[in-house]
């Protein structure tokens, strides 16, 4: 959802500047194909959490490249960086965030080398409006996912607490509890 909504924000900037066809293709693939591929890669990996952290770093690299592609347009660039940073914090903590920021900077440098340095930081009203769905929906979805994970953790903790105090066969209090 985040990458698809991010596509809207990026497309609103790319539409008003001279953009090579391959950039449009790459942005479309990153927004609509990459999420499904990343999910499959993580799902089939021996360590899905490590695979997902790697996928987030790939997102950061691409996000940095897109910042250069949109000529550092302020709202989409800051929005992209903050949403990817949120994903990294939730998915891997501070260490993942710091790694992601480094990869993001490298992606930005790569984008400047490939596309040249362009500087148009101002955002028009259509670009602001195209960024609003990502700005509103992504944090709400991340909050919901985080709550669901914490609720699952709370239920597991309660179950473990019960099991540590009760006999597994009879359900009566065990010696530790007494």
């Amino acid at each position: 959802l985040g990458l698809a909504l991010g596509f809207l924000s990026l497309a609103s900037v790319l539409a008003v500047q001279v953009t090579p066809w391959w950039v449009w293709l790459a942005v479309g693939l990153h927004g609509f194909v990459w999420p499904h591929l990343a999910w499959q890669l993580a799902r089939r990996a021996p360590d899905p959490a490590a695979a997902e952290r790697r996928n987030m770093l790939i997102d950061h690299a691409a996000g940095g490249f897109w910042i250069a592609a949109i000529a550092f347009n302020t709202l989409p660039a800051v929005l992209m960086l903050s949403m990817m940073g949120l994903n990294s914090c939730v998915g891997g903590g501070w260490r993942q965030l710091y790694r992601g920021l480094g990869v993001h900077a490298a992606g930005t440098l790569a984008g400047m080398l490939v596309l040249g340095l362009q500087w148009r930081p101002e955002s028009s009203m259509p670009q602001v409006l195209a960024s609003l769905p990502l700005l509103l929906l992504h944090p709400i979805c991340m909050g919901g996912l985080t709550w669901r994970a914490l609720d699952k953790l709370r239920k597991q903790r309660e179950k473990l607490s019960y099991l540590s105090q009760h006999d597994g066969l009879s359900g009566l209090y065990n010696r530790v509890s007494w």
Side-chain angles (χ1 to χ4, degrees), residues 10 15 20-21 24 42 56 74 86 101 106 109 111 117 132 149-150 152 156:
L10 290 172
W21 66 269
W24 278 103
M56 283 188 275
T74 304
L86 175 63
L101 292 176
L109 289 173
L117 176 60
L132 286 179
L150 289 173
K152 184 177 178 181
Q156 287 176 342

Side-chain angles (χ1 to χ4, degrees), residues 94-105:
W94 292 108
R95 188 173 183 188
Q96 180 72 18
L97 173 64
Y98 296 140
R99 284 182 181 162
L101 292 176
V103 172
H104 209 97

Side-chain angles (χ1 to χ4, degrees), residues 3 24 44 52 67 70 89 92 101 104-105 117-118 135 145 177:
L3 291 177
W24 278 103
R44 294 183 176 149
E52 186 56 27
I67 286 175
I70 62 172
C89 276
L101 292 176
H104 209 97
L117 176 60
Q118 302 172 37
L135 183 62
L145 289 171
S177 179

